[in-house]
């Protein structure tokens, strides 16, 4: 798994114990996976579950031998803090752009939504979206996906980005739970 992490450029989760697991059930209509580790491996609800491409979801429940993972594609009220990493354009532009954080929730297996309170948030199509790290259990900088559409929601005074997930959930066979 560490070799896959290096090959795909996925950052190390500093200070985290990595518990490898196999996907033993995929239930897209229920927005969940069943994985082959549970409480006997110290897996508990709230822990991040990642694949080589990025965040898959969060452990929802666990018994001794298995755990249920709530997928990123899950609709509200399930939300995760997300931060936009701007595309590199010029050093001057990068110096001026601050990271922007919002809340991400699922819409469909191939579409996530991030809402930003700042209507003028500096985001653009192609920008990378990663975990914000504003959670005790989900480390920062785990890839979530790339922005494919941006619009303003004048009714709620927010800026909204549609994100294409980094992980193709139907193809995930092995994951790591971060403890």
């Amino acid at each position: 798994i560490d070799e896959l992490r290096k090959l795909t450029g996925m950052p190390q989760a500093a200070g985290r114990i990595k518990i490898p697991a196999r996907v033993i059930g995929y239930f897209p209509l229920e927005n969940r996976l069943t994985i082959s580790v549970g409480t006997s491996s110290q897996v508990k609800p709230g822990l991040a579950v990642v694949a080589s491409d990025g965040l898959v979801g969060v452990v929802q429940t666990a018994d001794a031998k298995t755990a249920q993972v709530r997928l990123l594609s899950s609709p509200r009220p399930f939300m995760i803090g997300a931060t936009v990493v701007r595309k590199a354009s010029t050093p001057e532009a990068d110096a001026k752009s601050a990271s922007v954080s919002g809340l991400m929730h699922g819409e469909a297996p191939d579409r996530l939504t991030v809402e930003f309170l700042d209507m003028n948030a500096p985001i653009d199509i192609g920008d990378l979206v990663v975990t914000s790290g504003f959670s005790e259990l989900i480390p920062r900088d785990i890839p979530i996906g790339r922005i494919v559409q941006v619009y303003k929601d004048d009714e709620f005074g927010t800026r909204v980005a549609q994100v294409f997930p980094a992980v193709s959930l139907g193809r995930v066979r092995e994951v790591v739970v971060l403890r």
Side-chain angles (χ1 to χ4, degrees), residues 1-8 10 12 18-22 50-52 174-178:
I1 290 176
D2 287 333
E3 287 179 34
L4 281 175
R5 185 180 292 276
K6 288 177 192 174
L7 288 171
T8 60
M10 188 172 169
Q12 292 289 334
K18 298 160 193 80
I19 305 165
R22 287 179 297 105
V50 299
S52 61
E174 295 180 347
V175 295
V176 174
V177 180
L178 302 177

Side-chain angles (χ1 to χ4, degrees), residues 79-83 101-104 130-134 138 144:
M79 300 179 95
I80 291 177
T83 299
S101 295
L103 287 174
M104 190 279 315
V130 299
T131 55
S132 65
F134 296 140
I138 302 173
I144 292 174

Side-chain angles (χ1 to χ4, degrees), residues 65-127:
K65 300 280 185 199
T66 63
Q68 302 302 313
V69 177
R70 188 167 194 175
L71 301 174
L72 283 182
S73 58
S74 296
R76 289 183 183 171
F78 181 67
M79 300 179 95
I80 291 177
T83 299
V84 173
V85 177
R86 299 294 318 253
K87 288 186 296 190
S89 51
T90 65
E92 296 81 23
D94 290 343
K96 290 180 185 176
S97 68
S99 65
V100 180
S101 295
L103 287 174
M104 190 279 315
H105 62 88
E107 294 285 339
D110 63 346
R111 189 176 66 246
L112 309 171
T113 298
V114 182
E115 296 180 32
F116 304 92
L117 292 178
D118 180 0
M119 282 192 67
N120 298 312
I123 57 176
D124 201 4
I125 292 172
D127 287 346

